[in-house]
């Protein structure tokens, strides 16, 4: 092992196009193909659902504008971990990195793999058996089904691909993302021009007071999950060429493109299905395709969507490990995860740590619970990061990025207040899922304290600072 690993730095070999593709790939995936059914069940009307997607997109755009400045200031691997380390110190940075490991990447990887598997079985009209499970009382603790096995296989396959090399991984990534964009364009165009839908599905009442109710705010949690990934480029800041320019541009371009595509896709869903038929459906894309084109053509679209979901799975697998790598290099995480493979220059250990956690989540968590858990916890982390930008402006005025946040300070304040509003209603209406999120944060605090105690008492092989080759 010592001969195959050393301490090389990450190479800057990702350009603006690939960075933008990475943002788009991280965003378009599980959420847009699975959450609209849950959202319309919460808000009731198609108009309210579209407004919800627009508001969520504006929040994501505000976040991208703020993260662009942070990415320009600190163009290194690690993303939010680096930003919070610089704003509030290593302790808060570590908790952010711990959240990224569990919630930011491992949980969305699990959700994307489950969605991929579900759409794949729809493609071949295969009846999915419930499989075998293990219960404690009435609580399902482990569920192992054919769907779960396919999801696990997808996670492991793409983890191996991204361990092989950055170049091979980005080529596959770019192909899958462009394929996914092509499918979305074809689905939207064919749906409106030739699909068997109805504009009557758009008729409904929209009361502005509904925006102040819990259903609208909870729906924004689902949408927060769907838009998560708008900050993807900042995690690979150490591998992007001209990061002070390309990171903010990639964030803005990617988020703007995705926002437009999401609104178009949801319009097609509404055109295809009345609200009652859409409500609570996970594979809403497949259901819309059946209604628009019939069963045979819809199976082709379901297959295409399943391949498109591999793009977001791949993007998160490549992005997340850069956080754990940065933490280990700062000596606040196990040194093993700060090493790169000498031949491949990829953080292989971090990739497989993430894969193991994602596999565990596939067999232990329900899909809807994962969505709320991810959206709530990431909203908390994003609020703290944007607050950190404002704190840096006050405490370290000598730091001036090549890119400055457009609309400052209104932009970060809108982002912070909007997300606090979402978080409040999430806690009041989905306390159990939110409790899991708060427990993850508490676990990060405890882990950090224990880790520091261990580091002080043991400077040997267990030490997080042991980066020996």
């Amino acid at each position: 092992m010592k001969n195959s690993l050393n301490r090389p730095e990450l190479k800057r070999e990702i350009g603006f196009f690939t960075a933008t593709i990475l943002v788009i790939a991280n965003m378009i995936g599980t959420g847009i193909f699975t959450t609209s059914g849950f959202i319309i069940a919460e808000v009731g009307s198609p108009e309210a659902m579209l407004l919800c997607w627009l508001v969520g997109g504006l929040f994501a755009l505000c976040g991208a504008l703020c993260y662009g400045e942070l990415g320009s200031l600190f163009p290194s691997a690690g993303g939010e971990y680096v930003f919070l380390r610089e704003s509030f110190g290593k302790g808060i940075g570590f908790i952010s990195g711990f959240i990224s490991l569990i919630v930011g990447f491992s949980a969305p990887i699990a959700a994307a793999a489950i969605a991929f598997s579900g759409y794949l079985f729809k493609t071949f009209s295969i009846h999915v058996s419930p499989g075998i499970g293990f219960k404690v009382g009435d609580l399902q603790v482990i569920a192992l089904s054919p769907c779960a096995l396919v999801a696990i296989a997808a996670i492991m396959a793409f983890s191996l691909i991204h361990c092989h090399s950055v170049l091979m991984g980005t080529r596959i990534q770019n192909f899958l993302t462009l394929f996914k964009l092509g499918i979305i364009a074809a689905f939207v165009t064919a749906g409106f021009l030739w699909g068997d839908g109805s504009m009557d599905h758009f008729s409904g009442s929209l009361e502005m007071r509904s925006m102040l109710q819990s259903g609208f705010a909870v729906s924004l949690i689902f949408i927060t999950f769907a838009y998560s990934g708008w900050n993807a480029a900042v995690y690979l800041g150490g591998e992007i060429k001209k990061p002070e320019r390309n990171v903010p541009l990639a964030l803005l371009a990617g988020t703007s493109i995705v926002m437009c595509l999401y609104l178009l896709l949801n319009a097609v869903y509404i055109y295809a299905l009345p609200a009652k038929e859409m409500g609570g459906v996970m594979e809403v894309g497949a259901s819309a395709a059946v209604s628009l084109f019939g069963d045979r053509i819809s199976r082709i679209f379901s297959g295409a969507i399943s391949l498109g979901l591999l793009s977001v799975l791949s993007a998160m697998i490549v992005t997340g490990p850069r956080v754990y790598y940065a933490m280990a290099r700062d000596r606040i995480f196990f040194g093993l995860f700060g090493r790169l493979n000498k031949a491949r220059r990829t953080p292989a250990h971090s990739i497989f740590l993430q894969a193991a956690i994602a596999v565990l989540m596939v067999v232990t968590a329900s899909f809807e619970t994962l969505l709320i858990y991810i959206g709530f916890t990431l909203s908390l982390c994003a609020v703290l990061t944007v607050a950190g930008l404002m704190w840096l402006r006050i405490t370290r005025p000598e730091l001036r990025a090549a890119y400055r946040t457009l609309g400052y300070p209104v932009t970060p304040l809108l982002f912070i207040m909007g997300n606090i509003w979402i978080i409040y209603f999430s806690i009041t209406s989905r306390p159990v899922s939110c409790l899991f999120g708060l427990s993850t944060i508490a676990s990060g605090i405890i882990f950090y304290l224990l880790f520091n105690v261990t580091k002080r008492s043991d400077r040997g092989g267990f030490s997080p600072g042991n980066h020996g080759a």
Side-chain angles (χ1 to χ4, degrees):
M1 182 65 73
K2 287 188 176 183
N3 293 332
S4 65
L5 298 167
N6 66 357
R7 297 193 301 174
E9 296 298 324
L10 296 166
K11 291 175 64 178
R12 294 195 182 275
E13 51 187 353
I14 297 174
F16 166 72
F17 176 77
T18 297
T20 304
I21 287 290
L22 188 66
V23 173
I24 294 170
N26 266 273
M27 293 176 75
I28 300 178
T30 316
I32 189 57
F33 296 122
T34 57
T35 60
S36 291
F38 299 123
I39 292 165
I40 206 161
E42 291 286 341
V43 298
S45 76
E47 289 81 0
M49 185 180 83
L50 288 175
L51 180 61
C52 214
W53 281 99
L54 177 62
V55 170
L58 292 174
F59 283 162
L61 197 57
C62 287
L65 288 168
C66 297
Y67 273 56
E69 179 172 342
L70 289 165
S72 185
L73 276 173
F74 308 110
S76 57
E80 286 171 342
Y81 159 69
V82 173
F83 304 156
L84 288 170
R85 180 194 67 194
E86 296 297 327
S87 302
F88 301 119
K90 283 188 177 181
I92 300 298
F94 175 88
I95 294 166
S96 167
F98 184 82
I99 291 170
S100 290
L101 172 60
I102 307 298
V103 188
F105 294 100
S106 298
I109 286 168
I114 292 168
F116 159 74
S117 182
Y119 271 98
L120 189 66
F121 281 104
K122 284 267 186 184
T123 302
F124 297 104
S125 299
I126 299 173
H127 174 71
V128 182
S129 66
I132 57 174
F134 175 73
K135 289 186 176 182
V136 176
D138 293 330
L139 181 65
Q140 182 89 13
V141 178
I142 296 175
L144 195 59
S145 65
C147 188
L149 291 174
V150 170
I152 291 168
I155 292 169
M156 297 312 299
F158 276 90
S159 295
L160 287 169
I161 287 169
H162 288 296
C163 279
H164 183 272
S165 71
V166 172
L167 186 59
M168 177 182 175
T170 54
R171 283 176 176 173
I172 292 173
Q173 181 66 65
N174 289 351
F175 168 76
L176 286 172
T177 304
L178 292 173
F179 173 80
K180 178 168 62 179
L181 290 175
I183 288 300
I184 290 172
F187 186 69
V188 170
T189 304
F192 280 124
L193 292 180
W194 302 293
D196 184 18
S198 174
M199 296 302 294
D200 291 340
H201 297 163
F202 287 89
S203 61
S205 59
L206 173 62
E207 297 182 6
M208 296 308 293
R209 65 181 181 181
S210 66
M211 291 181 64
L212 303 177
Q213 296 174 354
S214 63
F216 195 91
V218 171
S219 296
L220 283 171
I221 280 288
F222 289 116
I223 288 172
T224 297
F225 168 74
Y227 275 109
S228 65
W230 51 262
N231 56 355
V234 301
Y235 291 97
L236 279 82
E239 296 160 271
I240 294 176
K241 302 171 186 175
K242 299 180 181 177
E244 65 285 346
R245 169 186 176 274
N246 287 334
V247 168
L249 282 178
L251 293 177
L252 293 175
T255 304
S256 299
I257 290 168
V258 170
M259 184 176 165
C260 294
L261 290 173
Y262 277 5
L263 289 171
L264 286 170
L265 264 175
N266 277 284
V268 172
Y269 293 160
I270 295 167
Y271 181 68
L273 297 166
K276 288 183 179 180
E277 291 184 23
M278 195 191 308
V281 176
M282 188 186 89
E283 294 95 350
V284 66
S287 298
V290 170
S291 179
L292 289 169
F293 310 113
D295 187 60
R296 291 184 63 184
I297 301 297
S298 73
R299 287 171 62 184
I300 296 173
F301 274 106
S302 292
I305 290 171
S306 68
L307 286 177
L309 287 168
L310 290 178
S311 169
V312 72
L313 182 71
S314 170
M316 287 185 291
I317 286 172
V318 71
T319 305
R322 274 64 187 174
V323 181
Y324 333 134
Y325 168 83
M327 290 169 65
R329 301 291 281 185
D330 279 350
R331 300 174 182 267
I332 60 168
F333 200 48
F334 298 103
L336 176 68
F337 303 109
R339 302 177 187 174
L340 300 178
N341 182 280
K342 184 177 181 180
R344 305 294 181 185
R345 289 196 175 185
T346 57
H349 295 98
S350 292
I351 290 172
F352 283 112
L353 170 67
Q354 177 180 261
I357 296 171
V359 167
L360 182 63
M361 288 187 171
V362 167
V363 299
T364 57
S366 72
F367 188 79
E368 185 177 357
T369 302
L370 272 177
L371 298 191
I372 296 289
Y373 170 63
I374 294 165
F376 168 79
T377 315
L378 293 187
S379 290
L380 279 174
C381 200
V383 164
L384 191 59
T385 304
V386 172
L389 168 64
M390 301 186 78
W391 181 247
L392 283 172
R393 286 266 195 128
I394 296 168
T395 58
R396 298 173 66 181
E398 74 280 2
L399 292 175
R400 289 193 64 86
Y403 161 81
R404 304 277 278 183
T405 301
L406 184 67
Y408 187 93
V410 175
T411 304
L413 286 174
L414 278 176
F415 182 83
I416 291 169
M417 289 187 296
N419 277 277
I420 288 174
W421 171 59
I422 294 169
I423 289 165
Y424 168 76
F425 277 109
S426 300
I427 292 172
T428 57
S429 62
R430 295 289 196 282
V432 175
S433 295
C434 296
L435 184 61
F436 283 126
L438 293 173
S439 298
T440 302
I441 295 169
S443 298
I445 296 170
I446 294 168
F447 195 87
Y448 178 70
L449 295 174
L450 292 174
F451 203 82
N452 273 344
V453 170
T454 304
K455 187 168 70 171
R456 285 194 296 268
S457 63
D458 183 0
R459 296 292 179 179
F462 182 77
S463 169
N466 184 15
H467 291 291

